[in-house]
Amino acid sequence: GYFVGARLPVTWPFWVFGGLAAALCLYILARAFATQQPKAAPGFVTAPPDGISPAEVGYIIDGSADDSDLVSLILQFAQQGLVTLENVPDEKGDILVLHKKGELPAAAPDYQRTFWQGLFPLPDSTVCDMGEWKPEFFETMQQAKQQLAATFQGGRQLDRKGTAAQAILLPLAVCALYL
């Protein structure tokens, strides 16, 4: 008879707060499902972000300036209306011929200017036959690649010294704090 008439703990606050918490959870879930947006289908993006040329995107992707990075500028020049492209049939296959329609803007980066001068070396030249590129063009390409790489120095540098060590040491330091 020891527990007969003993005072029992009050349980009604637990049931009230538990019921309110469950109702709040159900409301949040219902609202989340009701306002859920359909997922956007991934699309194929053919243009670089504003302010970045296709050559710069190519450099950012692999960290090196390649011929393909610079050749991608031809499509940018065509989109800007500076050149038109023509496919000329040849016995070896189709050859792309560029027809100069305008001049490069004054604000164009050095690597674009150098590449442009390689495509149209003479001031009065208006046609560039990509099937007949001369050795001088490839020397110009090397210079343009160096200029492209130089644009990612200083404030635009893609990797900072010591960041690899920081990426390794920071998690170790956090783990050491908890030990």
mmCIF file with all atom_site columns, all heavy atoms in Angstrom, residues 134-162:
data_model
loop_
_atom_site.group_PDB
_atom_site.id
_atom_site.type_symbol
_atom_site.label_atom_id
_atom_site.label_alt_id
_atom_site.label_comp_id
_atom_site.label_asym_id
_atom_site.label_entity_id
_atom_site.label_seq_id
_atom_site.pdbx_PDB_ins_code
_atom_site.Cartn_x
_atom_site.Cartn_y
_atom_site.Cartn_z
_atom_site.occupancy
_atom_site.B_iso_or_equiv
_atom_site.pdbx_formal_charge
_atom_site.auth_seq_id
_atom_site.auth_comp_id
_atom_site.auth_asym_id
_atom_site.auth_atom_id
_atom_site.pdbx_PDB_model_num
ATOM 1   N N   . LYS A 1 134 ? 49.157 29.689 -92.307 1.00 0.00 ? 134 LYS A N   1
ATOM 2   C CA  . LYS A 1 134 ? 50.605 29.682 -92.489 1.00 0.00 ? 134 LYS A CA  1
ATOM 3   C C   . LYS A 1 134 ? 51.302 29.512 -91.138 1.00 0.00 ? 134 LYS A C   1
ATOM 4   O O   . LYS A 1 134 ? 50.693 29.700 -90.089 1.00 0.00 ? 134 LYS A O   1
ATOM 5   C CB  . LYS A 1 134 ? 51.029 30.984 -93.163 1.00 0.00 ? 134 LYS A CB  1
ATOM 6   C CG  . LYS A 1 134 ? 50.438 31.127 -94.560 1.00 0.00 ? 134 LYS A CG  1
ATOM 7   C CD  . LYS A 1 134 ? 50.901 32.402 -95.201 1.00 0.00 ? 134 LYS A CD  1
ATOM 8   C CE  . LYS A 1 134 ? 50.490 32.536 -96.635 1.00 0.00 ? 134 LYS A CE  1
ATOM 9   N NZ  . LYS A 1 134 ? 49.200 32.148 -97.031 1.00 0.00 ? 134 LYS A NZ  1
ATOM 10  N N   . PRO A 1 135 ? 52.604 29.171 -91.154 1.00 0.00 ? 135 PRO A N   1
ATOM 11  C CA  . PRO A 1 135 ? 53.329 29.011 -89.884 1.00 0.00 ? 135 PRO A CA  1
ATOM 12  C C   . PRO A 1 135 ? 53.306 30.274 -89.014 1.00 0.00 ? 135 PRO A C   1
ATOM 13  O O   . PRO A 1 135 ? 53.318 30.183 -87.790 1.00 0.00 ? 135 PRO A O   1
ATOM 14  C CB  . PRO A 1 135 ? 54.758 28.683 -90.318 1.00 0.00 ? 135 PRO A CB  1
ATOM 15  C CG  . PRO A 1 135 ? 54.614 28.088 -91.675 1.00 0.00 ? 135 PRO A CG  1
ATOM 16  C CD  . PRO A 1 135 ? 53.420 28.754 -92.292 1.00 0.00 ? 135 PRO A CD  1
ATOM 17  N N   . GLU A 1 136 ? 53.252 31.447 -89.644 1.00 0.00 ? 136 GLU A N   1
ATOM 18  C CA  . GLU A 1 136 ? 53.197 32.686 -88.877 1.00 0.00 ? 136 GLU A CA  1
ATOM 19  C C   . GLU A 1 136 ? 51.936 32.744 -88.012 1.00 0.00 ? 136 GLU A C   1
ATOM 20  O O   . GLU A 1 136 ? 51.944 33.303 -86.912 1.00 0.00 ? 136 GLU A O   1
ATOM 21  C CB  . GLU A 1 136 ? 53.237 33.914 -89.806 1.00 0.00 ? 136 GLU A CB  1
ATOM 22  C CG  . GLU A 1 136 ? 54.520 34.081 -90.569 1.00 0.00 ? 136 GLU A CG  1
ATOM 23  C CD  . GLU A 1 136 ? 54.565 33.258 -91.852 1.00 0.00 ? 136 GLU A CD  1
ATOM 24  O OE1 . GLU A 1 136 ? 53.494 32.829 -92.351 1.00 0.00 ? 136 GLU A OE1 1
ATOM 25  O OE2 . GLU A 1 136 ? 55.673 33.008 -92.334 1.00 0.00 ? 136 GLU A OE2 1
ATOM 26  N N   . PHE A 1 137 ? 50.854 32.165 -88.528 1.00 0.00 ? 137 PHE A N   1
ATOM 27  C CA  . PHE A 1 137 ? 49.607 32.159 -87.762 1.00 0.00 ? 137 PHE A CA  1
ATOM 28  C C   . PHE A 1 137 ? 49.785 31.370 -86.466 1.00 0.00 ? 137 PHE A C   1
ATOM 29  O O   . PHE A 1 137 ? 49.311 31.768 -85.412 1.00 0.00 ? 137 PHE A O   1
ATOM 30  C CB  . PHE A 1 137 ? 48.459 31.576 -88.588 1.00 0.00 ? 137 PHE A CB  1
ATOM 31  C CG  . PHE A 1 137 ? 47.204 31.421 -87.796 1.00 0.00 ? 137 PHE A CG  1
ATOM 32  C CD1 . PHE A 1 137 ? 46.421 32.517 -87.491 1.00 0.00 ? 137 PHE A CD1 1
ATOM 33  C CD2 . PHE A 1 137 ? 46.814 30.178 -87.316 1.00 0.00 ? 137 PHE A CD2 1
ATOM 34  C CE1 . PHE A 1 137 ? 45.264 32.390 -86.732 1.00 0.00 ? 137 PHE A CE1 1
ATOM 35  C CE2 . PHE A 1 137 ? 45.660 30.038 -86.562 1.00 0.00 ? 137 PHE A CE2 1
ATOM 36  C CZ  . PHE A 1 137 ? 44.892 31.150 -86.280 1.00 0.00 ? 137 PHE A CZ  1
ATOM 37  N N   . PHE A 1 138 ? 50.482 30.249 -86.545 1.00 0.00 ? 138 PHE A N   1
ATOM 38  C CA  . PHE A 1 138 ? 50.656 29.411 -85.361 1.00 0.00 ? 138 PHE A CA  1
ATOM 39  C C   . PHE A 1 138 ? 51.600 30.063 -84.352 1.00 0.00 ? 138 PHE A C   1
ATOM 40  O O   . PHE A 1 138 ? 51.465 29.860 -83.146 1.00 0.00 ? 138 PHE A O   1
ATOM 41  C CB  . PHE A 1 138 ? 51.117 28.012 -85.761 1.00 0.00 ? 138 PHE A CB  1
ATOM 42  C CG  . PHE A 1 138 ? 50.067 27.286 -86.552 1.00 0.00 ? 138 PHE A CG  1
ATOM 43  C CD1 . PHE A 1 138 ? 50.172 27.154 -87.928 1.00 0.00 ? 138 PHE A CD1 1
ATOM 44  C CD2 . PHE A 1 138 ? 48.945 26.772 -85.928 1.00 0.00 ? 138 PHE A CD2 1
ATOM 45  C CE1 . PHE A 1 138 ? 49.188 26.515 -88.657 1.00 0.00 ? 138 PHE A CE1 1
ATOM 46  C CE2 . PHE A 1 138 ? 47.960 26.129 -86.649 1.00 0.00 ? 138 PHE A CE2 1
ATOM 47  C CZ  . PHE A 1 138 ? 48.075 25.997 -88.023 1.00 0.00 ? 138 PHE A CZ  1
ATOM 48  N N   . GLU A 1 139 ? 52.541 30.871 -84.828 1.00 0.00 ? 139 GLU A N   1
ATOM 49  C CA  . GLU A 1 139 ? 53.373 31.650 -83.911 1.00 0.00 ? 139 GLU A CA  1
ATOM 50  C C   . GLU A 1 139 ? 52.503 32.693 -83.192 1.00 0.00 ? 139 GLU A C   1
ATOM 51  O O   . GLU A 1 139 ? 52.662 32.936 -81.997 1.00 0.00 ? 139 GLU A O   1
ATOM 52  C CB  . GLU A 1 139 ? 54.508 32.334 -84.670 1.00 0.00 ? 139 GLU A CB  1
ATOM 53  C CG  . GLU A 1 139 ? 55.527 31.361 -85.227 1.00 0.00 ? 139 GLU A CG  1
ATOM 54  C CD  . GLU A 1 139 ? 56.515 32.022 -86.185 1.00 0.00 ? 139 GLU A CD  1
ATOM 55  O OE1 . GLU A 1 139 ? 56.523 33.270 -86.295 1.00 0.00 ? 139 GLU A OE1 1
ATOM 56  O OE2 . GLU A 1 139 ? 57.274 31.278 -86.821 1.00 0.00 ? 139 GLU A OE2 1
ATOM 57  N N   . THR A 1 140 ? 51.587 33.284 -83.932 1.00 0.00 ? 140 THR A N   1
ATOM 58  C CA  . THR A 1 140 ? 50.655 34.250 -83.341 1.00 0.00 ? 140 THR A CA  1
ATOM 59  C C   . THR A 1 140 ? 49.762 33.555 -82.320 1.00 0.00 ? 140 THR A C   1
ATOM 60  O O   . THR A 1 140 ? 49.455 34.125 -81.267 1.00 0.00 ? 140 THR A O   1
ATOM 61  C CB  . THR A 1 140 ? 49.806 34.904 -84.446 1.00 0.00 ? 140 THR A CB  1
ATOM 62  O OG1 . THR A 1 140 ? 50.666 35.463 -85.415 1.00 0.00 ? 140 THR A OG1 1
ATOM 63  C CG2 . THR A 1 140 ? 48.900 35.965 -83.897 1.00 0.00 ? 140 THR A CG2 1
ATOM 64  N N   . MET A 1 141 ? 49.353 32.332 -82.620 1.00 0.00 ? 141 MET A N   1
ATOM 65  C CA  . MET A 1 141 ? 48.521 31.560 -81.680 1.00 0.00 ? 141 MET A CA  1
ATOM 66  C C   . MET A 1 141 ? 49.266 31.338 -80.367 1.00 0.00 ? 141 MET A C   1
ATOM 67  O O   . MET A 1 141 ? 48.667 31.446 -79.285 1.00 0.00 ? 141 MET A O   1
ATOM 68  C CB  . MET A 1 141 ? 48.137 30.200 -82.280 1.00 0.00 ? 141 MET A CB  1
ATOM 69  C CG  . MET A 1 141 ? 47.091 30.242 -83.341 1.00 0.00 ? 141 MET A CG  1
ATOM 70  S SD  . MET A 1 141 ? 45.434 30.192 -82.705 1.00 0.00 ? 141 MET A SD  1
ATOM 71  C CE  . MET A 1 141 ? 45.251 28.478 -82.330 1.00 0.00 ? 141 MET A CE  1
ATOM 72  N N   . GLN A 1 142 ? 50.563 31.019 -80.444 1.00 0.00 ? 142 GLN A N   1
ATOM 73  C CA  . GLN A 1 142 ? 51.350 30.804 -79.224 1.00 0.00 ? 142 GLN A CA  1
ATOM 74  C C   . GLN A 1 142 ? 51.396 32.080 -78.381 1.00 0.00 ? 142 GLN A C   1
ATOM 75  O O   . GLN A 1 142 ? 51.238 32.038 -77.161 1.00 0.00 ? 142 GLN A O   1
ATOM 76  C CB  . GLN A 1 142 ? 52.775 30.352 -79.575 1.00 0.00 ? 142 GLN A CB  1
ATOM 77  C CG  . GLN A 1 142 ? 52.851 28.991 -80.210 1.00 0.00 ? 142 GLN A CG  1
ATOM 78  C CD  . GLN A 1 142 ? 52.240 27.907 -79.352 1.00 0.00 ? 142 GLN A CD  1
ATOM 79  O OE1 . GLN A 1 142 ? 52.405 27.883 -78.133 1.00 0.00 ? 142 GLN A OE1 1
ATOM 80  N NE2 . GLN A 1 142 ? 51.494 27.005 -79.966 1.00 0.00 ? 142 GLN A NE2 1
ATOM 81  N N   . GLN A 1 143 ? 51.571 33.204 -79.046 1.00 0.00 ? 143 GLN A N   1
ATOM 82  C CA  . GLN A 1 143 ? 51.588 34.482 -78.334 1.00 0.00 ? 143 GLN A CA  1
ATOM 83  C C   . GLN A 1 143 ? 50.223 34.770 -77.709 1.00 0.00 ? 143 GLN A C   1
ATOM 84  O O   . GLN A 1 143 ? 50.135 35.213 -76.563 1.00 0.00 ? 143 GLN A O   1
ATOM 85  C CB  . GLN A 1 143 ? 51.988 35.605 -79.297 1.00 0.00 ? 143 GLN A CB  1
ATOM 86  C CG  . GLN A 1 143 ? 52.104 36.949 -78.640 1.00 0.00 ? 143 GLN A CG  1
ATOM 87  C CD  . GLN A 1 143 ? 52.442 38.046 -79.632 1.00 0.00 ? 143 GLN A CD  1
ATOM 88  O OE1 . GLN A 1 143 ? 52.584 37.809 -80.825 1.00 0.00 ? 143 GLN A OE1 1
ATOM 89  N NE2 . GLN A 1 143 ? 52.563 39.254 -79.138 1.00 0.00 ? 143 GLN A NE2 1
ATOM 90  N N   . ALA A 1 144 ? 49.158 34.496 -78.442 1.00 0.00 ? 144 ALA A N   1
ATOM 91  C CA  . ALA A 1 144 ? 47.804 34.727 -77.922 1.00 0.00 ? 144 ALA A CA  1
ATOM 92  C C   . ALA A 1 144 ? 47.520 33.807 -76.734 1.00 0.00 ? 144 ALA A C   1
ATOM 93  O O   . ALA A 1 144 ? 46.863 34.217 -75.768 1.00 0.00 ? 144 ALA A O   1
ATOM 94  C CB  . ALA A 1 144 ? 46.774 34.519 -79.023 1.00 0.00 ? 144 ALA A CB  1
ATOM 95  N N   . LYS A 1 145 ? 48.013 32.575 -76.769 1.00 0.00 ? 145 LYS A N   1
ATOM 96  C CA  . LYS A 1 145 ? 47.814 31.652 -75.644 1.00 0.00 ? 145 LYS A CA  1
ATOM 97  C C   . LYS A 1 145 ? 48.530 32.158 -74.398 1.00 0.00 ? 145 LYS A C   1
ATOM 98  O O   . LYS A 1 145 ? 47.999 32.068 -73.294 1.00 0.00 ? 145 LYS A O   1
ATOM 99  C CB  . LYS A 1 145 ? 48.292 30.245 -76.007 1.00 0.00 ? 145 LYS A CB  1
ATOM 100 C CG  . LYS A 1 145 ? 47.378 29.529 -76.966 1.00 0.00 ? 145 LYS A CG  1
ATOM 101 C CD  . LYS A 1 145 ? 47.678 28.055 -77.081 1.00 0.00 ? 145 LYS A CD  1
ATOM 102 C CE  . LYS A 1 145 ? 48.919 27.788 -77.855 1.00 0.00 ? 145 LYS A CE  1
ATOM 103 N NZ  . LYS A 1 145 ? 49.119 26.355 -78.159 1.00 0.00 ? 145 LYS A NZ  1
ATOM 104 N N   . GLN A 1 146 ? 49.729 32.714 -74.580 1.00 0.00 ? 146 GLN A N   1
ATOM 105 C CA  . GLN A 1 146 ? 50.447 33.275 -73.439 1.00 0.00 ? 146 GLN A CA  1
ATOM 106 C C   . GLN A 1 146 ? 49.698 34.480 -72.872 1.00 0.00 ? 146 GLN A C   1
ATOM 107 O O   . GLN A 1 146 ? 49.616 34.651 -71.656 1.00 0.00 ? 146 GLN A O   1
ATOM 108 C CB  . GLN A 1 146 ? 51.864 33.672 -73.852 1.00 0.00 ? 146 GLN A CB  1
ATOM 109 C CG  . GLN A 1 146 ? 52.758 32.490 -74.154 1.00 0.00 ? 146 GLN A CG  1
ATOM 110 C CD  . GLN A 1 146 ? 54.083 32.906 -74.760 1.00 0.00 ? 146 GLN A CD  1
ATOM 111 O OE1 . GLN A 1 146 ? 54.312 34.067 -75.078 1.00 0.00 ? 146 GLN A OE1 1
ATOM 112 N NE2 . GLN A 1 146 ? 54.968 31.928 -74.944 1.00 0.00 ? 146 GLN A NE2 1
ATOM 113 N N   . GLN A 1 147 ? 49.146 35.294 -73.751 1.00 0.00 ? 147 GLN A N   1
ATOM 114 C CA  . GLN A 1 147 ? 48.382 36.454 -73.290 1.00 0.00 ? 147 GLN A CA  1
ATOM 115 C C   . GLN A 1 147 ? 47.101 36.020 -72.579 1.00 0.00 ? 147 GLN A C   1
ATOM 116 O O   . GLN A 1 147 ? 46.691 36.633 -71.589 1.00 0.00 ? 147 GLN A O   1
ATOM 117 C CB  . GLN A 1 147 ? 48.054 37.370 -74.467 1.00 0.00 ? 147 GLN A CB  1
ATOM 118 C CG  . GLN A 1 147 ? 49.259 38.080 -75.026 1.00 0.00 ? 147 GLN A CG  1
ATOM 119 C CD  . GLN A 1 147 ? 48.947 38.809 -76.313 1.00 0.00 ? 147 GLN A CD  1
ATOM 120 O OE1 . GLN A 1 147 ? 48.001 38.470 -77.041 1.00 0.00 ? 147 GLN A OE1 1
ATOM 121 N NE2 . GLN A 1 147 ? 49.748 39.823 -76.619 1.00 0.00 ? 147 GLN A NE2 1
ATOM 122 N N   . LEU A 1 148 ? 46.465 34.962 -73.079 1.00 0.00 ? 148 LEU A N   1
ATOM 123 C CA  . LEU A 1 148 ? 45.254 34.440 -72.420 1.00 0.00 ? 148 LEU A CA  1
ATOM 124 C C   . LEU A 1 148 ? 45.593 33.964 -71.021 1.00 0.00 ? 148 LEU A C   1
ATOM 125 O O   . LEU A 1 148 ? 44.880 34.277 -70.051 1.00 0.00 ? 148 LEU A O   1
ATOM 126 C CB  . LEU A 1 148 ? 44.647 33.302 -73.245 1.00 0.00 ? 148 LEU A CB  1
ATOM 127 C CG  . LEU A 1 148 ? 43.477 32.553 -72.619 1.00 0.00 ? 148 LEU A CG  1
ATOM 128 C CD1 . LEU A 1 148 ? 42.309 33.486 -72.340 1.00 0.00 ? 148 LEU A CD1 1
ATOM 129 C CD2 . LEU A 1 148 ? 43.043 31.400 -73.515 1.00 0.00 ? 148 LEU A CD2 1
ATOM 130 N N   . ALA A 1 149 ? 46.683 33.222 -70.872 1.00 0.00 ? 149 ALA A N   1
ATOM 131 C CA  . ALA A 1 149 ? 47.088 32.739 -69.546 1.00 0.00 ? 149 ALA A CA  1
ATOM 132 C C   . ALA A 1 149 ? 47.438 33.912 -68.629 1.00 0.00 ? 149 ALA A C   1
ATOM 133 O O   . ALA A 1 149 ? 47.164 33.871 -67.427 1.00 0.00 ? 149 ALA A O   1
ATOM 134 C CB  . ALA A 1 149 ? 48.265 31.787 -69.674 1.00 0.00 ? 149 ALA A CB  1
ATOM 135 N N   . ALA A 1 150 ? 48.007 34.969 -69.198 1.00 0.00 ? 150 ALA A N   1
ATOM 136 C CA  . ALA A 1 150 ? 48.400 36.131 -68.392 1.00 0.00 ? 150 ALA A CA  1
ATOM 137 C C   . ALA A 1 150 ? 47.192 36.898 -67.867 1.00 0.00 ? 150 ALA A C   1
ATOM 138 O O   . ALA A 1 150 ? 47.309 37.622 -66.869 1.00 0.00 ? 150 ALA A O   1
ATOM 139 C CB  . ALA A 1 150 ? 49.288 37.057 -69.212 1.00 0.00 ? 150 ALA A CB  1
ATOM 140 N N   . THR A 1 151 ? 46.022 36.745 -68.499 1.00 0.00 ? 151 THR A N   1
ATOM 141 C CA  . THR A 1 151 ? 44.834 37.443 -68.003 1.00 0.00 ? 151 THR A CA  1
ATOM 142 C C   . THR A 1 151 ? 44.363 36.878 -66.664 1.00 0.00 ? 151 THR A C   1
ATOM 143 O O   . THR A 1 151 ? 43.584 37.517 -65.965 1.00 0.00 ? 151 THR A O   1
ATOM 144 C CB  . THR A 1 151 ? 43.657 37.394 -69.001 1.00 0.00 ? 151 THR A CB  1
ATOM 145 O OG1 . THR A 1 151 ? 43.293 36.037 -69.227 1.00 0.00 ? 151 THR A OG1 1
ATOM 146 C CG2 . THR A 1 151 ? 44.013 38.067 -70.301 1.00 0.00 ? 151 THR A CG2 1
ATOM 147 N N   . PHE A 1 152 ? 44.838 35.680 -66.322 1.00 0.00 ? 152 PHE A N   1
ATOM 148 C CA  . PHE A 1 152 ? 44.449 35.049 -65.060 1.00 0.00 ? 152 PHE A CA  1
ATOM 149 C C   . PHE A 1 152 ? 45.568 35.150 -64.034 1.00 0.00 ? 152 PHE A C   1
ATOM 150 O O   . PHE A 1 152 ? 45.859 34.203 -63.319 1.00 0.00 ? 152 PHE A O   1
ATOM 151 C CB  . PHE A 1 152 ? 44.036 33.595 -65.299 1.00 0.00 ? 152 PHE A CB  1
ATOM 152 C CG  . PHE A 1 152 ? 42.756 33.482 -66.046 1.00 0.00 ? 152 PHE A CG  1
ATOM 153 C CD1 . PHE A 1 152 ? 42.743 33.278 -67.414 1.00 0.00 ? 152 PHE A CD1 1
ATOM 154 C CD2 . PHE A 1 152 ? 41.547 33.623 -65.395 1.00 0.00 ? 152 PHE A CD2 1
ATOM 155 C CE1 . PHE A 1 152 ? 41.558 33.203 -68.121 1.00 0.00 ? 152 PHE A CE1 1
ATOM 156 C CE2 . PHE A 1 152 ? 40.358 33.548 -66.088 1.00 0.00 ? 152 PHE A CE2 1
ATOM 157 C CZ  . PHE A 1 152 ? 40.362 33.336 -67.449 1.00 0.00 ? 152 PHE A CZ  1
ATOM 158 N N   . GLN A 1 153 ? 46.187 36.310 -63.967 1.00 0.00 ? 153 GLN A N   1
ATOM 159 C CA  . GLN A 1 153 ? 47.203 36.602 -62.964 1.00 0.00 ? 153 GLN A CA  1
ATOM 160 C C   . GLN A 1 153 ? 46.665 37.691 -62.044 1.00 0.00 ? 153 GLN A C   1
ATOM 161 O O   . GLN A 1 153 ? 45.718 38.391 -62.382 1.00 0.00 ? 153 GLN A O   1
ATOM 162 C CB  . GLN A 1 153 ? 48.510 37.067 -63.635 1.00 0.00 ? 153 GLN A CB  1
ATOM 163 C CG  . GLN A 1 153 ? 49.126 36.039 -64.571 1.00 0.00 ? 153 GLN A CG  1
ATOM 164 C CD  . GLN A 1 153 ? 49.499 34.746 -63.877 1.00 0.00 ? 153 GLN A CD  1
ATOM 165 O OE1 . GLN A 1 153 ? 49.997 34.761 -62.753 1.00 0.00 ? 153 GLN A OE1 1
ATOM 166 N NE2 . GLN A 1 153 ? 49.234 33.623 -64.514 1.00 0.00 ? 153 GLN A NE2 1
ATOM 167 N N   . GLY A 1 154 ? 47.269 37.839 -60.919 1.00 0.00 ? 154 GLY A N   1
ATOM 168 C CA  . GLY A 1 154 ? 46.859 38.884 -59.979 1.00 0.00 ? 154 GLY A CA  1
ATOM 169 C C   . GLY A 1 154 ? 45.492 38.588 -59.376 1.00 0.00 ? 154 GLY A C   1
ATOM 170 O O   . GLY A 1 154 ? 45.255 37.517 -58.835 1.00 0.00 ? 154 GLY A O   1
ATOM 171 N N   . GLY A 1 155 ? 44.579 39.547 -59.501 1.00 0.00 ? 155 GLY A N   1
ATOM 172 C CA  . GLY A 1 155 ? 43.247 39.405 -58.910 1.00 0.00 ? 155 GLY A CA  1
ATOM 173 C C   . GLY A 1 155 ? 42.386 38.344 -59.562 1.00 0.00 ? 155 GLY A C   1
ATOM 174 O O   . GLY A 1 155 ? 41.435 37.861 -58.970 1.00 0.00 ? 155 GLY A O   1
ATOM 175 N N   . ARG A 1 156 ? 42.699 37.976 -60.804 1.00 0.00 ? 156 ARG A N   1
ATOM 176 C CA  . ARG A 1 156 ? 41.910 36.952 -61.502 1.00 0.00 ? 156 ARG A CA  1
ATOM 177 C C   . ARG A 1 156 ? 42.554 35.572 -61.428 1.00 0.00 ? 156 ARG A C   1
ATOM 178 O O   . ARG A 1 156 ? 42.136 34.654 -62.127 1.00 0.00 ? 156 ARG A O   1
ATOM 179 C CB  . ARG A 1 156 ? 41.734 37.341 -62.974 1.00 0.00 ? 156 ARG A CB  1
ATOM 180 C CG  . ARG A 1 156 ? 40.878 38.575 -63.166 1.00 0.00 ? 156 ARG A CG  1
ATOM 181 C CD  . ARG A 1 156 ? 40.587 38.802 -64.613 1.00 0.00 ? 156 ARG A CD  1
ATOM 182 N NE  . ARG A 1 156 ? 39.595 37.839 -65.055 1.00 0.00 ? 156 ARG A NE  1
ATOM 183 C CZ  . ARG A 1 156 ? 39.336 37.584 -66.333 1.00 0.00 ? 156 ARG A CZ  1
ATOM 184 N NH1 . ARG A 1 156 ? 39.980 38.212 -67.276 1.00 0.00 ? 156 ARG A NH1 1
ATOM 185 N NH2 . ARG A 1 156 ? 38.415 36.700 -66.663 1.00 0.00 ? 156 ARG A NH2 1
ATOM 186 N N   . GLN A 1 157 ? 43.572 35.424 -60.592 1.00 0.00 ? 157 GLN A N   1
ATOM 187 C CA  . GLN A 1 157 ? 44.271 34.146 -60.488 1.00 0.00 ? 157 GLN A CA  1
ATOM 188 C C   . GLN A 1 157 ? 43.299 33.066 -60.019 1.00 0.00 ? 157 GLN A C   1
ATOM 189 O O   . GLN A 1 157 ? 42.514 33.275 -59.087 1.00 0.00 ? 157 GLN A O   1
ATOM 190 C CB  . GLN A 1 157 ? 45.435 34.284 -59.511 1.00 0.00 ? 157 GLN A CB  1
ATOM 191 C CG  . GLN A 1 157 ? 46.339 33.090 -59.471 1.00 0.00 ? 157 GLN A CG  1
ATOM 192 C CD  . GLN A 1 157 ? 47.575 33.371 -58.617 1.00 0.00 ? 157 GLN A CD  1
ATOM 193 O OE1 . GLN A 1 157 ? 47.801 34.476 -58.177 1.00 0.00 ? 157 GLN A OE1 1
ATOM 194 N NE2 . GLN A 1 157 ? 48.360 32.341 -58.394 1.00 0.00 ? 157 GLN A NE2 1
ATOM 195 N N   . LEU A 1 158 ? 43.335 31.912 -60.683 1.00 0.00 ? 158 LEU A N   1
ATOM 196 C CA  . LEU A 1 158 ? 42.374 30.844 -60.389 1.00 0.00 ? 158 LEU A CA  1
ATOM 197 C C   . LEU A 1 158 ? 42.719 30.065 -59.127 1.00 0.00 ? 158 LEU A C   1
ATOM 198 O O   . LEU A 1 158 ? 41.832 29.567 -58.450 1.00 0.00 ? 158 LEU A O   1
ATOM 199 C CB  . LEU A 1 158 ? 42.269 29.892 -61.578 1.00 0.00 ? 158 LEU A CB  1
ATOM 200 C CG  . LEU A 1 158 ? 41.738 30.510 -62.865 1.00 0.00 ? 158 LEU A CG  1
ATOM 201 C CD1 . LEU A 1 158 ? 41.719 29.472 -63.975 1.00 0.00 ? 158 LEU A CD1 1
ATOM 202 C CD2 . LEU A 1 158 ? 40.364 31.099 -62.663 1.00 0.00 ? 158 LEU A CD2 1
ATOM 203 N N   . ASP A 1 159 ? 43.983 29.920 -58.827 1.00 0.00 ? 159 ASP A N   1
ATOM 204 C CA  . ASP A 1 159 ? 44.360 29.206 -57.613 1.00 0.00 ? 159 ASP A CA  1
ATOM 205 C C   . ASP A 1 159 ? 45.307 30.076 -56.797 1.00 0.00 ? 159 ASP A C   1
ATOM 206 O O   . ASP A 1 159 ? 46.112 30.805 -57.332 1.00 0.00 ? 159 ASP A O   1
ATOM 207 C CB  . ASP A 1 159 ? 44.987 27.850 -57.925 1.00 0.00 ? 159 ASP A CB  1
ATOM 208 C CG  . ASP A 1 159 ? 46.213 27.968 -58.818 1.00 0.00 ? 159 ASP A CG  1
ATOM 209 O OD1 . ASP A 1 159 ? 46.396 29.013 -59.458 1.00 0.00 ? 159 ASP A OD1 1
ATOM 210 O OD2 . ASP A 1 159 ? 46.995 26.999 -58.874 1.00 0.00 ? 159 ASP A OD2 1
ATOM 211 N N   . ARG A 1 160 ? 45.166 30.007 -55.511 1.00 0.00 ? 160 ARG A N   1
ATOM 212 C CA  . ARG A 1 160 ? 45.985 30.800 -54.604 1.00 0.00 ? 160 ARG A CA  1
ATOM 213 C C   . ARG A 1 160 ? 47.015 29.881 -53.943 1.00 0.00 ? 160 ARG A C   1
ATOM 214 O O   . ARG A 1 160 ? 46.723 28.710 -53.661 1.00 0.00 ? 160 ARG A O   1
ATOM 215 C CB  . ARG A 1 160 ? 45.116 31.445 -53.522 1.00 0.00 ? 160 ARG A CB  1
ATOM 216 C CG  . ARG A 1 160 ? 43.945 32.221 -54.053 1.00 0.00 ? 160 ARG A CG  1
ATOM 217 C CD  . ARG A 1 160 ? 44.311 33.674 -54.244 1.00 0.00 ? 160 ARG A CD  1
ATOM 218 N NE  . ARG A 1 160 ? 43.137 34.467 -54.534 1.00 0.00 ? 160 ARG A NE  1
ATOM 219 C CZ  . ARG A 1 160 ? 42.882 34.995 -55.720 1.00 0.00 ? 160 ARG A CZ  1
ATOM 220 N NH1 . ARG A 1 160 ? 43.693 34.820 -56.707 1.00 0.00 ? 160 ARG A NH1 1
ATOM 221 N NH2 . ARG A 1 160 ? 41.800 35.713 -55.918 1.00 0.00 ? 160 ARG A NH2 1
ATOM 222 N N   . LYS A 1 161 ? 48.169 30.429 -53.664 1.00 0.00 ? 161 LYS A N   1
ATOM 223 C CA  . LYS A 1 161 ? 49.202 29.641 -52.995 1.00 0.00 ? 161 LYS A CA  1
ATOM 224 C C   . LYS A 1 161 ? 48.731 29.292 -51.590 1.00 0.00 ? 161 LYS A C   1
ATOM 225 O O   . LYS A 1 161 ? 48.200 30.129 -50.875 1.00 0.00 ? 161 LYS A O   1
ATOM 226 C CB  . LYS A 1 161 ? 50.508 30.427 -52.928 1.00 0.00 ? 161 LYS A CB  1
ATOM 227 C CG  . LYS A 1 161 ? 51.143 30.631 -54.274 1.00 0.00 ? 161 LYS A CG  1
ATOM 228 C CD  . LYS A 1 161 ? 52.442 31.371 -54.169 1.00 0.00 ? 161 LYS A CD  1
ATOM 229 C CE  . LYS A 1 161 ? 53.025 31.552 -55.564 1.00 0.00 ? 161 LYS A CE  1
ATOM 230 N NZ  . LYS A 1 161 ? 54.267 32.301 -55.557 1.00 0.00 ? 161 LYS A NZ  1
ATOM 231 N N   . GLY A 1 162 ? 48.910 28.041 -51.224 1.00 0.00 ? 162 GLY A N   1
ATOM 232 C CA  . GLY A 1 162 ? 48.564 27.612 -49.880 1.00 0.00 ? 162 GLY A CA  1
ATOM 233 C C   . GLY A 1 162 ? 47.141 27.124 -49.714 1.00 0.00 ? 162 GLY A C   1
ATOM 234 O O   . GLY A 1 162 ? 46.788 26.643 -48.652 1.00 0.00 ? 162 GLY A O   1
#
